[in-house]
Amino acid sequence: MRASIGDKVIFTHAELDRLIALLWGDGIPVVGPKVADGAVVYEPLGGIGEMPWGWSDESGPGHYRLVAGEDGALFGYSLGAQGWKRHLYPPRQNLFRAERAGRGFRILRSVGDDASPPMAFLGVRACELTAIGVLDRVFSQEGFEEPGYRSRRGKVIIIAVECARAVGTCFCASAGGGPAVDGRFDIKLNEIVEDGGHVFLAVAGSDTGAALLSRLSVVPASDAQIIIAAAQPVEAARQQSRRMDAEAPGILERSLESPHWDDVAGRCLTCGNCTMVCPTCFCTTVEDVTDLSGNHAERWRLWDSCFTIDYSHIAGGALRQKASSRYRQWLTHKLSTWHRQFGMSGCVGCGRCIAWCPVGIDITREIESLRKAGGSDGTD
Amino acid sequence: MVQIEGLGPLVATHPFFADMDGSALETIVGCCANEVFRTGSYLYRQGEAADKFYLIRDGLVTLEAYVPGRPPIAIETVEAGEIIGWSWLVKPYKWSNDARASGTVRAVSVDGACLRRKMEADRVLGYEIYKRFLPVMARRLAQNRERIVELATEPAGFD
Amino acid sequence: MDGYPKGNAVGAPVDPMIPRPFRITKVKSEVPGVFSWHLVPVDGGGFAYRPGQFNMLYLFGVGEVAISISGDCRDGEKIVHTIRIAGSVTKAMSSLSVGDVIGVRGPFGRPWPVEPIYGSDLVFVTGTIGLAPLRPLIYEVLHQRDKFGRVIICYGSRGTDDILYEDELHLWRGRFDTNVHVTVHSAPSGYRGRIGSVAAAVRAAHIEGGDTQAFVCRSEVMTKPAVDALHERGVSSERIWVTLERNMKCGIGLCGHCQFGPTFMCRDGPVYRFDEIEHLFEIREL
């Protein structure tokens, strides 16, 4: 059957395996969920046999654990420990190589030369798709697009999967990141596991997606299946107990000198985990290295965190000495100044920063506390 | 004390006494004298009795610190429109620096001992004088604190 | 009034992350610990910039530093940088000589306004190395001298032997259409100039607040006293332009390091109109 954009079709989990094989066969590596070191990670994936089949997860402040799922689903977990950022904007990127030439140097390779291979992302959640949209905005500025990101991003095929449940740290419904998949995807899936049946309801969102679905063995979705799929994100939203205050940008603007920052700083270890797992944090530093001869030099771009002391270094010392200043920078940037910079929030509500914080700092709670500590605009 | 009648306008038009009440001004003018200092001459020297302050009308006055075994260091200048000298207001009424004319300086000197007596007798006048001195002292203190911050934070150069 | 282009609209580089080789054609020792370079592109091309913009200067294999451009932007032959030795990269740069090649990325940053301030009196408030980022604007003002009212330069240094661009300050002082006030912290006895803070020099300068535009280029801690003195002289925050310093790394608002409130200083600064940032200015460790 030929599938067109918007058609709702059904295929079996065996066809999903075939989809992965088709993509590899087309020379497109598939990156998707696997289990490694007790967590779901997004890595190159050969077939559904490598997927977290039957695994689910639970998470809370400072807590993440894989647990046995109830229904044998392939996408029974909520989120990978890290998002897709590392595939689109890797933690280490070479900006250029250069060699000494006379009394100067010659550039041998620049980031713009990077011919990255295409990739297919399998299992992109709604909040993650929103986060990719945030990165698209960050790396595409007036008059300048980050060439490495653009090169990788332009060739990515996105196969999104809608969430049927939420975990304790999810708050995408209030943050605007999900749980309904709403954005630019090639294929959107809903996994339906019922007595005796394990199928996917698929919708193509692009010509690429439609062409892929047309190569699979699919049948039109029944009304009952469409209703089940539509109910999944509704249920995922209903299960969310955490909520991001919609007034967060204003609360933070009014809280720059709040005594509450000292309270957070009393708990925060400034480890930077939150910035590493955040799907939108984009800060980087550069490292210049030479070989022993001194004739070859390289510059590398490395992920950086606003929690490091060097981050704010100027001649004379670091500007943000105190943990309270660094935490304030992170939270205020993510939830408030990001709007001024990019016209959107930097938070999609994935909750990773809550789960992977070693002391369980919960940004939704911190916003509540800031509001109570005086960040309210007085209307409540 | 010469040309007392001619001093009135000089005192009244100096910014330090701007908007001063007429009768108070008359009292003050009674303690004033017109003075001219040639380049390099001293308005006063450290340790001497501080019995005056000066309304600078023209020229630049340099405050210097005497340093044993080395040439004096110039540490601050005060210019036309400003006043110099407040040791006459504070016991033990002795100058704590040298003040020298950097170029020709024209000034009106105010007899501190005379003014102290008048301020003692007329507390309203005393308050008025303090109200004018205190902001000058506060500003100079603030400016000099800023200079300490600057000297402590601006690199001095590497060699 | 703030119709000035933000960002590097002028001379935007093709790939802003790749250093372009420039040859050093002159090295000049300015004051202790400070030197200037004349730089010419090795590829023979041009280099356009606006007063107040900066470059990232790359020393092969060593590293990169943000340095403001301090020459005349109408000089099509060369660009001039004045560099203070402040760390390992600038220390290594101080040992280079004529003929050596360094890398340049830029120009970056929001420039000083020029056209929007036509007709105004101008006062420049700066000290020590801070004159370097202001000099391109002073040159530009002098190129178009008839477009402006009075021009007052208040400059402060530590002593009498570390006055940056002293010869030029003398030249400008000699012009009938420019007032130059140089002040030092201390001097040998007999020195005939002004001694005291830069703020005191601003208070003593005959500034008529109404239509004066002020340009402050000082360290952050010394910017506040300068702004206070300008306020006292009736210059309002919308007419005061300041520069700030943060950790500039990429130059294009991409690496995040230079954030100041909602701004990326490398792109939205380092020049700010004071009223834009007044509410943030005294918040510590921002």
Side-chain angles (χ1 to χ4, degrees), chain B residues 79 143 147 150 154, chain C residues 85 158 185 194 203 218:
Chain B
E79 53 202 88
Q143 284 176 170
R147 290 170 65 186
E150 181 169 13
E154 289 276 344
Chain C
I85 302 170
R158 180 174 281 257
H185 282 300
R194 181 182 271 110
R203 289 189 178 96
R218 307 229 60 198

Side-chain angles (χ1 to χ4, degrees), chain A residues 96 100 103 105 110 141 144 282-285 290 294 299 304 311 313 319-322 325 328 333 341, chain C residues 16 18-19 58 60-61 64 98 100-101 246-247 249 252-257 259 262 264 267 284-285:
Chain A
F96 62 79
R100 193 178 295 282
R103 295 174 70 176
F105 63 93
S110 79
Q141 304 185 25
F144 174 70
F282 60 85
C283 288
T284 52
T285 186
T290 46
R299 174 170 296 170
D304 199 7
Y311 182 86
H313 184 84
L319 276 160
R320 297 188 197 104
Q321 295 279 345
K322 289 158 60 184
S325 311
R328 176 183 65 189
H333 183 215
Q341 293 169 348
Chain C
I18 303 302
Y58 169 66
F60 175 77
E64 202 176 48
V98 171
D100 286 335
V101 173
R246 284 293 181 276
N247 188 357
K249 270 193 178 324
I252 50 176
L254 197 67
C255 78
H257 283 251
Q259 286 180 81
F264 292 103
R267 189 189 68 194
R284 296 181 186 191
E285 297 200 6

Side-chain angles (χ1 to χ4, degrees), chain C residues 50-104:
Chain C
R50 305 273 326 206
Q53 291 196 292
F54 69 94
N55 283 325
M56 298 300 300
L57 301 185
Y58 169 66
L59 181 53
F60 175 77
V62 177
E64 202 176 48
V65 284
I67 305 285
S68 61
I69 309 172
S70 49
D72 182 345
C73 57
R74 297 193 181 208
D75 177 352
E77 302 286 303
K78 62 178 184 295
I79 54 173
V80 179
H81 280 286
T82 294
I83 302 164
R84 174 158 69 190
I85 302 170
S88 56
V89 179
T90 47
K91 179 75 189 162
M93 284 176 166
S94 71
S95 65
L96 299 190
S97 47
V98 171
D100 286 335
V101 173
I102 59 130
V104 174

Side-chain angles (χ1 to χ4, degrees), chain A residues 89 134-147 149-150 282 301 341-342, chain C residues 7-8 16 250-256 264 266-268:
Chain A
Y89 199 63
V134 172
L135 293 181
D136 289 348
R137 174 77 187 82
V138 167
F139 293 123
S140 171
Q141 304 185 25
E142 203 182 306
F144 174 70
E145 276 190 277
E146 207 293 305
Y149 180 86
R150 180 182 55 192
F282 60 85
R301 175 192 276 152
Q341 293 169 348
F342 304 111
Chain C
N8 42 355
C250 72
I252 50 176
L254 197 67
C255 78
F264 292 103
C266 70
R267 189 189 68 194
D268 309 321

Side-chain angles (χ1 to χ4, degrees), chain C residues 188-264:
Chain C
S189 174
Y191 178 68
R192 301 286 290 271
R194 181 182 271 110
I195 300 160
S197 72
V198 175
V202 170
R203 289 189 178 96
H206 295 283
I207 296 166
E208 287 151 25
D211 193 17
T212 295
Q213 298 277 347
F215 302 88
V216 180
C217 192
R218 307 229 60 198
S219 65
E220 195 165 325
V221 66
M222 298 315 293
T223 294
K224 180 71 178 133
V227 166
D228 287 346
L230 288 163
H231 283 163
E232 267 180 48
R233 301 301 311 189
V235 185
S236 58
S237 297
E238 311 83 69
R239 292 165 175 274
I240 298 174
W241 303 80
V242 301
T243 57
L244 294 176
E245 186 191 356
R246 284 293 181 276
N247 188 357
M248 314 278 203
K249 270 193 178 324
C250 72
I252 50 176
L254 197 67
C255 78
H257 283 251
C258 64
Q259 286 180 81
F260 177 66
T263 72
F264 292 103

Side-chain angles (χ1 to χ4, degrees), chain B residues 39 60 62-64 71-79 82 100 102-104 139 143-144 146-159, chain C residues 32-33 84-87 91 128-129 156 158 184-200 203-204 218-219 221-222 225 232:
Chain B
T39 305
L60 194 66
T62 305
L63 280 175
E64 292 186 355
I73 309 173
I75 51 171
E76 194 170 3
T77 51
V78 179
E79 53 202 88
E82 298 187 289
R100 291 175 79 180
S102 176
T104 301
R139 174 189 287 171
Q143 284 176 170
N144 283 315
E146 288 158 20
R147 290 170 65 186
I148 293 170
V149 172
E150 181 169 13
L151 288 166
T153 54
E154 289 276 344
F158 269 61
D159 40 358
Chain C
R84 174 158 69 190
I85 302 170
K91 179 75 189 162
T128 62
I129 190 93
R158 180 174 281 257
V184 298
H185 282 300
S186 63
S189 174
Y191 178 68
R192 301 286 290 271
R194 181 182 271 110
I195 300 160
S197 72
V198 175
R203 289 189 178 96
R218 307 229 60 198
S219 65
V221 66
M222 298 315 293
E232 267 180 48

